[in-house]
Amino acid sequence: MSRFMNDKYASLEEYVPGEQPTDMKYIKLNTNESPFPPSPAVFKAVNDAEIGKLELYPDPECGSLTKKLAETYGVEPENIFIGNGSDEVLNFAFMAFCQNGAAFADITYGFYEVFADLHGIDAKVIPLKEDFSICPQDYMGIGRAVFIANPNAPTGMQLSLEDIEAIVKSNPDNVVVVDEAYVDFGGNSAVELTKKYDNLLVVMTYSKSRSLAGGRLGFSIGSKEITTDLRKIKYSTNPYNINRLTLVAGEASLNDDKYYKDNCQKIIRNREYTVKKLEALGFEVLPSKANFIFARTDRMSGDMLYKKLKENGILVRHFTKERINDYLRITIGTEEQMQALVAMIKKILEGEAEAR
Ligand code: PMP
């Protein structure tokens, strides 16, 4: 750190993203990206003519994409806010809505804690139940902004819409943010509830189901008022937050919903296959509605299995946090990738059994 760093950031513990290795080719199952390329419609739309406009700033209103998103999700354009990845939307929500503090689970998306820290927000960290489910009562009338990833990460587990609604209803004076990054893989979206509750903000991303993690595009759906608040933060931070090519890609992707829905079905099938195979190997796998699973085995520590998989060209995610350090979070890839993963895990476990 330099001697110029502002004291208020000196002790910040920054978010550590999953590895994006350049040293060798891995089967990459560590950052919940899609194994499929973007829609052919995206390839067609991001063309030379669009590249030829890059000397001009993009539309700061993201008008055309906003309109299309509103149509797609059955809301008004005024209910849509678009961010540079959903991380930016979440960051802005922490900035805008946490005057009374924030509440989130102990095991959830790690960035919530970092955003709270970054903005000096008092954070109430609420332990998940023993089985890693959320206890909705813990959030009722909590008197601060609530952040819930649904399905949760890294567990993949889902909270029912009834429970989400009860939490939203019991906190009318605070915003409840439901982070639906993984909702397209079998989850239930709370978007309809945003029409009923002005304190609900649903956050979504193009990074997972729509195969556009590299484009950095996320958005939220919420009341006109809270959307206006997010716009205020954006225009005070980075008005041109979405680049031209990503705006084009995002709109083209919405014109080809079938492609991404078919891919989600494939991921769900591959998830069920992987769960079955790992359970047969003696793994405990949490019930996932996401494009990843969270699994552990008594036969080897999470850390060791992570390392051995990496040595053998397969990257998964391992967290060192005590409560979950025996688990691996495994992104669901193509059928071939999941077959290779299962075969390699089997080989590693058998090798270990021989060594004993
Ligand atoms: N929310 C959750 C729960 C996530 O796991 C992620 C991905 N790391 C994000 C939000 C952010 O995704 P992005 O910024 O790529 O939209």
Side-chain angles (χ1 to χ4, degrees):
M1 198 185 322
S2 81
R3 64 185 192 282
F4 309 110
M5 180 64 151
N6 190 320
D7 283 348
K8 73 178 175 188
Y9 299 125
S11 62
L12 198 58
E13 266 189 55
E14 61 264 55
Y15 178 72
V16 184
E19 299 158 88
Q20 302 293 350
T22 48
D23 60 332
M24 63 178 260
K25 204 158 167 44
Y26 290 93
I27 293 181
K28 197 169 173 306
L29 307 176
N30 69 328
T31 46
N32 298 342
E33 291 138 324
S34 173
F36 307 114
S39 149
V42 170
F43 281 82
K44 229 169 120 188
V46 183
N47 54 24
D48 285 356
E50 292 300 331
I51 293 168
K53 296 179 198 160
L54 278 179
E55 75 273 24
L56 302 174
Y57 283 111
D59 172 13
E61 288 287 290
C62 307
S64 188
L65 177 59
T66 301
K67 196 161 157 269
K68 189 91 202 166
L69 276 169
E71 278 165 23
T72 304
Y73 287 90
V75 296
E76 298 300 317
E78 294 79 10
N79 301 119
I80 302 274
F81 177 78
I82 301 181
N84 191 301
S86 56
D87 279 340
E88 186 177 60
V89 183
L90 291 165
N91 184 29
F92 289 177
F94 271 91
M95 290 169 81
F97 306 126
C98 296
Q99 193 150 294
N100 302 324
F104 44 81
D106 62 339
I107 307 298
T108 189
Y109 184 33
F111 226 141
Y112 300 161
E113 201 157 14
V114 178
F115 286 139
D117 198 13
L118 175 67
H119 301 302
I121 292 162
D122 177 49
K124 186 163 181 170
V125 176
I126 301 176
L128 294 178
K129 288 198 272 189
E130 195 59 30
D131 65 357
F132 292 106
S133 63
I134 288 175
C135 177
Q137 283 73 26
D138 290 346
Y139 297 85
M140 301 291 181
I142 197 163
R144 48 179 73 215
V146 172
F147 290 79
I148 294 176
N150 199 35
N152 197 10
T155 64
M157 288 167 66
Q158 175 169 247
L159 189 63
S160 74
L161 276 188
E162 293 72 42
D163 287 336
I164 293 283
E165 182 165 9
I167 292 168
V168 173
K169 214 170 166 172
S170 73
N171 288 290
D173 297 325
N174 284 284
V175 172
V176 174
V177 176
V178 179
D179 177 352
E180 294 190 350
Y182 301 104
V183 78
D184 294 332
F185 304 99
N188 293 317
S189 176
V191 163
E192 277 306 306
L193 292 176
T194 62
K195 294 174 184 165
K196 206 165 149 191
Y197 299 98
D198 68 355
N199 62 323
L200 171 61
L201 185 74
V202 173
V203 179
M204 294 190 180
T205 181
Y206 274 71
S207 295
K208 319 294 175 184
S209 54
R210 288 191 187 268
S211 305
L212 280 173
R216 311 304 302 126
L217 191 59
F219 60 97
S220 64
I221 300 176
S223 66
K224 291 178 185 170
E225 293 75 18
I226 57 180
T227 303
T228 304
D229 297 340
L230 292 172
R231 288 166 53 86
K232 195 177 179 81
I233 304 275
K234 159 181 154 144
Y235 277 97
S236 309
T237 313
N238 185 11
Y240 304 112
N241 61 338
I242 315 297
N243 76 71
R244 270 183 174 274
L245 299 183
T246 293
L247 284 175
V248 170
E251 204 173 329
S253 161
L254 292 179
N255 286 329
D256 190 11
D257 258 11
K258 185 175 176 332
Y259 175 80
Y260 103 93
K261 284 183 178 149
D262 288 351
N263 284 345
C264 289
Q265 287 310 312
K266 286 183 201 160
I267 296 288
I268 291 170
R269 273 201 306 276
N270 298 346
R271 181 179 73 207
E272 301 320 320
Y273 161 85
T274 312
V275 170
K276 220 163 67 203
K277 291 289 182 188
L278 290 186
E279 282 179 348
L281 290 173
F283 276 78
E284 180 197 328
V285 188
L286 299 189
S288 171
K289 291 282 184 194
N291 67 338
F292 58 84
I293 53 173
F294 207 45
R296 62 171 290 282
T297 171
D298 286 335
R299 297 170 69 182
M300 192 176 278
S301 73
D303 183 45
M304 179 64 83
L305 188 50
Y306 157 78
K307 283 185 182 136
K308 287 196 180 274
L309 281 168
K310 187 171 176 185
E311 280 164 20
N312 286 285
I314 300 181
L315 263 190
V316 298
R317 189 90 198 254
H318 176 250
F319 299 92
T320 52
K321 205 169 191 168
E322 203 182 324
R323 201 175 163 190
I324 52 170
N325 65 5
D326 243 359
Y327 284 80
L328 294 181
R329 192 195 67 190
I330 303 167
T331 302
I332 302 299
T334 61
E335 206 177 326
E336 297 72 36
Q337 287 176 323
M338 301 328 284
Q339 283 165 354
L341 169 90
V342 170
M344 185 54 71
I345 287 181
K346 212 166 156 200
K347 217 162 125 185
I348 290 169
L349 293 179
E350 279 166 6
E352 180 71 10
E354 277 163 25
R356 273 191 200 141

mmCIF file of all heavy atoms in Angstrom, residues 130-132 278-279 281-286 294-298 327-328:
data_model
loop_
_atom_site.group_PDB
_atom_site.id
_atom_site.type_symbol
_atom_site.label_atom_id
_atom_site.label_comp_id
_atom_site.label_asym_id
_atom_site.label_seq_id
_atom_site.Cartn_x
_atom_site.Cartn_y
_atom_site.Cartn_z
ATOM 1 N N GLU A 130 -28.449 -24.995 10.412
ATOM 2 C CA GLU A 130 -27.476 -26.096 10.330
ATOM 3 C C GLU A 130 -27.453 -26.742 8.932
ATOM 4 O O GLU A 130 -26.390 -27.109 8.421
ATOM 5 C CB GLU A 130 -27.876 -27.133 11.402
ATOM 6 C CG GLU A 130 -26.835 -28.176 11.739
ATOM 7 C CD GLU A 130 -25.517 -27.599 12.266
ATOM 8 O OE1 GLU A 130 -25.556 -26.515 12.907
ATOM 9 O OE2 GLU A 130 -24.470 -28.213 12.006
ATOM 10 N N ASP A 131 -28.641 -26.837 8.319
ATOM 11 C CA ASP A 131 -28.719 -27.491 6.998
ATOM 12 C C ASP A 131 -28.464 -26.502 5.850
ATOM 13 O O ASP A 131 -28.755 -26.801 4.692
ATOM 14 C CB ASP A 131 -30.093 -28.161 6.824
ATOM 15 C CG ASP A 131 -31.236 -27.145 6.801
ATOM 16 O OD1 ASP A 131 -30.982 -25.925 6.979
ATOM 17 O OD2 ASP A 131 -32.397 -27.555 6.607
ATOM 18 N N PHE A 132 -27.965 -25.318 6.177
ATOM 19 C CA PHE A 132 -27.629 -24.269 5.210
ATOM 20 C C PHE A 132 -28.853 -23.581 4.603
ATOM 21 O O PHE A 132 -28.732 -22.866 3.611
ATOM 22 C CB PHE A 132 -26.717 -24.783 4.082
ATOM 23 C CG PHE A 132 -25.339 -25.136 4.550
ATOM 24 C CD1 PHE A 132 -24.950 -26.456 4.671
ATOM 25 C CD2 PHE A 132 -24.431 -24.140 4.886
ATOM 26 C CE1 PHE A 132 -23.676 -26.789 5.105
ATOM 27 C CE2 PHE A 132 -23.158 -24.465 5.333
ATOM 28 C CZ PHE A 132 -22.774 -25.786 5.437
ATOM 29 N N LEU A 278 -22.164 -38.118 -8.101
ATOM 30 C CA LEU A 278 -21.381 -37.802 -6.892
ATOM 31 C C LEU A 278 -21.992 -38.467 -5.662
ATOM 32 O O LEU A 278 -21.268 -38.957 -4.794
ATOM 33 C CB LEU A 278 -21.270 -36.280 -6.693
ATOM 34 C CG LEU A 278 -20.395 -35.536 -7.711
ATOM 35 C CD1 LEU A 278 -20.247 -34.068 -7.321
ATOM 36 C CD2 LEU A 278 -19.011 -36.172 -7.838
ATOM 37 N N GLU A 279 -23.310 -38.502 -5.607
ATOM 38 C CA GLU A 279 -23.952 -39.183 -4.466
ATOM 39 C C GLU A 279 -23.579 -40.671 -4.466
ATOM 40 O O GLU A 279 -23.343 -41.248 -3.411
ATOM 41 C CB GLU A 279 -25.464 -38.966 -4.497
ATOM 42 C CG GLU A 279 -25.829 -37.560 -3.988
ATOM 43 C CD GLU A 279 -27.319 -37.265 -4.005
ATOM 44 O OE1 GLU A 279 -28.092 -38.031 -4.617
ATOM 45 O OE2 GLU A 279 -27.709 -36.229 -3.421
ATOM 46 N N LEU A 281 -20.875 -41.810 -5.330
ATOM 47 C CA LEU A 281 -19.496 -41.906 -4.825
ATOM 48 C C LEU A 281 -19.417 -41.568 -3.331
ATOM 49 O O LEU A 281 -18.333 -41.455 -2.773
ATOM 50 C CB LEU A 281 -18.573 -40.968 -5.614
ATOM 51 C CG LEU A 281 -18.268 -41.349 -7.059
ATOM 52 C CD1 LEU A 281 -17.495 -40.239 -7.768
ATOM 53 C CD2 LEU A 281 -17.477 -42.656 -7.120
ATOM 54 N N GLY A 282 -20.576 -41.342 -2.735
ATOM 55 C CA GLY A 282 -20.608 -41.081 -1.296
ATOM 56 C C GLY A 282 -20.583 -39.609 -0.927
ATOM 57 O O GLY A 282 -20.422 -39.251 0.244
ATOM 58 N N PHE A 283 -20.744 -38.713 -1.899
ATOM 59 C CA PHE A 283 -20.760 -37.279 -1.600
ATOM 60 C C PHE A 283 -22.090 -36.868 -0.991
ATOM 61 O O PHE A 283 -23.136 -37.462 -1.298
ATOM 62 C CB PHE A 283 -20.564 -36.455 -2.879
ATOM 63 C CG PHE A 283 -19.131 -36.277 -3.279
ATOM 64 C CD1 PHE A 283 -18.432 -37.301 -3.917
ATOM 65 C CD2 PHE A 283 -18.471 -35.085 -3.026
ATOM 66 C CE1 PHE A 283 -17.118 -37.134 -4.289
ATOM 67 C CE2 PHE A 283 -17.146 -34.908 -3.392
ATOM 68 C CZ PHE A 283 -16.472 -35.943 -4.027
ATOM 69 N N GLU A 284 -22.014 -35.836 -0.167
ATOM 70 C CA GLU A 284 -23.228 -35.163 0.280
ATOM 71 C C GLU A 284 -23.342 -33.915 -0.600
ATOM 72 O O GLU A 284 -22.395 -33.131 -0.694
ATOM 73 C CB GLU A 284 -23.044 -34.758 1.748
ATOM 74 C CG GLU A 284 -24.218 -34.037 2.353
ATOM 75 C CD GLU A 284 -23.798 -33.313 3.633
ATOM 76 O OE1 GLU A 284 -22.893 -33.818 4.324
ATOM 77 O OE2 GLU A 284 -24.365 -32.248 3.905
ATOM 78 N N VAL A 285 -24.482 -33.761 -1.280
ATOM 79 C CA VAL A 285 -24.664 -32.626 -2.197
ATOM 80 C C VAL A 285 -25.889 -31.838 -1.749
ATOM 81 O O VAL A 285 -26.976 -32.408 -1.601
ATOM 82 C CB VAL A 285 -24.858 -33.112 -3.657
ATOM 83 C CG1 VAL A 285 -24.850 -31.932 -4.616
ATOM 84 C CG2 VAL A 285 -23.794 -34.121 -4.053
ATOM 85 N N LEU A 286 -25.732 -30.541 -1.543
ATOM 86 C CA LEU A 286 -26.884 -29.731 -1.129
ATOM 87 C C LEU A 286 -27.864 -29.615 -2.305
ATOM 88 O O LEU A 286 -27.434 -29.618 -3.464
ATOM 89 C CB LEU A 286 -26.430 -28.343 -0.684
ATOM 90 C CG LEU A 286 -25.465 -28.287 0.504
ATOM 91 C CD1 LEU A 286 -25.265 -26.837 0.969
ATOM 92 C CD2 LEU A 286 -25.968 -29.124 1.675
ATOM 93 N N PHE A 294 -22.916 -27.712 -4.501
ATOM 94 C CA PHE A 294 -22.027 -27.552 -3.354
ATOM 95 C C PHE A 294 -21.959 -28.917 -2.692
ATOM 96 O O PHE A 294 -22.982 -29.450 -2.242
ATOM 97 C CB PHE A 294 -22.639 -26.512 -2.414
ATOM 98 C CG PHE A 294 -21.650 -25.775 -1.561
ATOM 99 C CD1 PHE A 294 -20.473 -25.271 -2.092
ATOM 100 C CD2 PHE A 294 -21.906 -25.554 -0.212
ATOM 101 C CE1 PHE A 294 -19.571 -24.567 -1.312
ATOM 102 C CE2 PHE A 294 -21.019 -24.851 0.575
ATOM 103 C CZ PHE A 294 -19.849 -24.357 0.026
ATOM 104 N N ALA A 295 -20.770 -29.504 -2.687
ATOM 105 C CA ALA A 295 -20.673 -30.920 -2.317
ATOM 106 C C ALA A 295 -19.457 -31.193 -1.447
ATOM 107 O O ALA A 295 -18.441 -30.497 -1.536
ATOM 108 C CB ALA A 295 -20.581 -31.761 -3.594
ATOM 109 N N ARG A 296 -19.576 -32.217 -0.609
ATOM 110 C CA ARG A 296 -18.443 -32.627 0.226
ATOM 111 C C ARG A 296 -18.426 -34.153 0.354
ATOM 112 O O ARG A 296 -19.440 -34.815 0.130
ATOM 113 C CB ARG A 296 -18.519 -31.995 1.613
ATOM 114 C CG ARG A 296 -19.736 -32.386 2.432
ATOM 115 C CD ARG A 296 -19.638 -31.913 3.858
ATOM 116 N NE ARG A 296 -18.617 -32.636 4.600
ATOM 117 C CZ ARG A 296 -18.766 -33.862 5.090
ATOM 118 N NH1 ARG A 296 -19.901 -34.511 4.941
ATOM 119 N NH2 ARG A 296 -17.798 -34.449 5.735
ATOM 120 N N THR A 297 -17.268 -34.647 0.727
ATOM 121 C CA THR A 297 -17.143 -36.085 0.979
ATOM 122 C C THR A 297 -16.287 -36.303 2.226
ATOM 123 O O THR A 297 -15.377 -35.515 2.500
ATOM 124 C CB THR A 297 -16.488 -36.819 -0.218
ATOM 125 O OG1 THR A 297 -16.218 -38.164 0.174
ATOM 126 C CG2 THR A 297 -15.182 -36.171 -0.657
ATOM 127 N N ASP A 298 -16.593 -37.383 2.941
ATOM 128 C CA ASP A 298 -15.757 -37.754 4.100
ATOM 129 C C ASP A 298 -14.430 -38.344 3.660
ATOM 130 O O ASP A 298 -13.505 -38.487 4.445
ATOM 131 C CB ASP A 298 -16.484 -38.820 4.957
ATOM 132 C CG ASP A 298 -17.613 -38.197 5.753
ATOM 133 O OD1 ASP A 298 -17.543 -36.980 6.017
ATOM 134 O OD2 ASP A 298 -18.573 -38.921 6.090
ATOM 135 N N TYR A 327 -16.330 -28.194 1.688
ATOM 136 C CA TYR A 327 -17.173 -28.284 0.477
ATOM 137 C C TYR A 327 -16.429 -27.769 -0.752
ATOM 138 O O TYR A 327 -15.525 -26.936 -0.639
ATOM 139 C CB TYR A 327 -18.430 -27.428 0.653
ATOM 140 C CG TYR A 327 -19.468 -28.045 1.554
ATOM 141 C CD1 TYR A 327 -19.338 -27.972 2.943
ATOM 142 C CD2 TYR A 327 -20.570 -28.705 1.024
ATOM 143 C CE1 TYR A 327 -20.296 -28.540 3.778
ATOM 144 C CE2 TYR A 327 -21.529 -29.271 1.849
ATOM 145 C CZ TYR A 327 -21.389 -29.181 3.223
ATOM 146 O OH TYR A 327 -22.336 -29.745 4.030
ATOM 147 N N LEU A 328 -16.852 -28.242 -1.897
ATOM 148 C CA LEU A 328 -16.412 -27.663 -3.164
ATOM 149 C C LEU A 328 -17.641 -27.126 -3.889
ATOM 150 O O LEU A 328 -18.692 -27.766 -3.875
ATOM 151 C CB LEU A 328 -15.747 -28.727 -4.052
ATOM 152 C CG LEU A 328 -14.431 -29.313 -3.552
ATOM 153 C CD1 LEU A 328 -13.904 -30.324 -4.561
ATOM 154 C CD2 LEU A 328 -13.395 -28.228 -3.296
#
